[in-house]
Amino acid sequence: MKAITIILFILFPAVALAENSNPILKDSTSPSGSSINQKLHAPSTEHQTLYSFFSLYQPYMPQISAYEPIYFLVGTDPEKSKFQYSFKYRFLNSDGSLAKNYPWTGGLHFGYTQTSFWNLKEESLPFKDTSYKPEFFHTTTNIHSRPPWLQGFFIQSGVQHESNGQSEEFSRSTNVLYLKPIFIFYNKESLLGLGLAPKVWLYFDNSKTGNPYLADYRGYFELEARVGLADGFVVGSKFKWAKEGGSVQLDLTYPLHRILSDNLSIYLHIQYVNSLAENLLNYQDRTEALRIGFSFIR
């Protein structure tokens, strides 16, 4: 019961964020559809929820949306449980003069992802390690110079810091500059889609005392792929190769409203990991884990 209470306390803000953000804005390149000024001077209506009052004083809420997957997963070995939440914030209002005159500025974002590795086997439920990953990045609009059989072509680039927030001999930190082209194939009739996102990066200011050999275990390249139905099963994979060996993560998600009469807005989530440097603290160790749980954003 204590574990469930802690989980809900941590994840509730993330759920509220995912549910209340404008779904159009989950694609950072889409227009918001309403200006900040319009929201501030919206005609009064009957307020049925606390959030309806709260949103009156939050004109920037349409700028914030989900980013990386948000999930809680329990390992078949509870010592290897894991949860993650993430969001992104677009700096400029898409209806503002700057974004209209210079559309590329609409792709400027701040992102934050936090991944925690939770030991649910011990009585005190300690966290084994947590990675804090703030970043600044830019995502282009859909690039027009693409073949007709390719529905989406975007380029994301940015700088990301990652650290585990610990001190002395347990401190780990690194920084990367990255480039990630994103290719999307989608059939609007079958709702079947395929996304491919190769990512390359360079390390800088990597901790020379805590994790001097991190690049040997994480490498410099990752290939992410996702395939599935928009309202059904989606299978995702991430593959990395480094000097010390390869790493893979597989994720299978399914919307539970499909089997619970549209009553539950979460996904069943199964994850398999066989990876070096899954966390920073023990980056030289290989983790193999099977986890099952739920996700709010997949």
Side-chain angles (χ1 to χ4, degrees), residues 7 10-21 26 64-73 82-88 112-115 226 238 249 251 253 265-269 271 293-298:
I7 292 164
I10 293 173
L11 291 180
F12 179 77
V15 179
L17 168 62
E19 290 181 347
N20 293 320
S21 61
K26 291 179 182 178
I64 193 169
S65 60
Y67 184 30
E68 296 291 337
I70 300 174
Y71 55 72
F72 173 77
L73 305 172
K82 178 182 177 183
F83 79 85
Q84 176 173 284
Y85 66 88
S86 179
F87 71 90
K88 66 178 184 288
Y112 180 78
T113 303
Q114 184 170 317
T115 308
R226 288 188 182 187
K238 291 183 178 181
Q249 175 178 309
D251 293 271
T253 57
S265 299
I266 61 175
Y267 301 93
L268 173 68
H269 192 148
Q271 182 182 92
F294 54 86
S295 55
F296 303 104
I297 301 295
R298 62 179 177 180

Side-chain angles (χ1 to χ4, degrees), residues 218-232:
R218 282 195 175 173
Y220 299 87
F221 172 80
E222 175 184 83
L223 177 61
E224 180 178 2
R226 288 188 182 187
V227 61
L229 296 170
D231 197 30

Side-chain angles (χ1 to χ4, degrees), residues 1-7 10 72-83 116-128 291-293:
M1 179 60 71
K2 179 171 68 173
I4 295 174
T5 303
I6 295 173
I7 292 164
I10 293 173
F72 173 77
L73 305 172
V74 177
T76 52
D77 178 356
E79 185 179 359
K80 298 178 180 179
S81 299
K82 178 182 177 183
F83 79 85
S116 294
F117 302 89
W118 205 351
N119 183 356
L120 296 178
K121 182 179 288 187
E122 296 185 16
E123 184 177 354
S124 60
L125 309 179
F127 289 102
K128 298 177 68 175
R291 302 170 174 128
I292 185 169

Side-chain angles (χ1 to χ4, degrees), residues 151-215:
Q151 286 69 50
F153 177 33
F154 305 85
I155 296 178
Q156 182 172 319
S157 56
V159 55
Q160 183 185 72
H161 169 76
E162 181 179 359
S163 62
N164 68 347
Q166 301 197 42
S167 61
E168 299 179 351
E169 70 268 26
F170 301 110
S171 175
R172 306 284 187 270
S173 67
T174 190
N175 301 277
V176 297
L177 289 168
Y178 70 86
L179 179 68
K180 182 169 74 171
I182 302 168
F183 306 92
I184 297 176
F185 309 85
Y186 181 71
N187 187 309
K188 62 181 180 180
E189 295 179 357
S190 66
L191 304 182
L192 180 65
L194 168 66
L196 297 173
K199 179 179 179 181
V200 294
W201 59 85
L202 294 173
Y203 299 90
F204 69 96
D205 198 23
N206 188 58
S207 174
K208 296 180 180 179
T209 56
N211 44 268
Y213 307 112
L214 181 64

Side-chain angles (χ1 to χ4, degrees), residues 11-35:
L11 291 180
F12 179 77
V15 179
L17 168 62
E19 290 181 347
N20 293 320
S21 61
N22 188 330
I24 295 176
L25 294 173
K26 291 179 182 178
D27 178 356
S28 62
T29 62
S30 299
S32 66
S34 62
S35 68

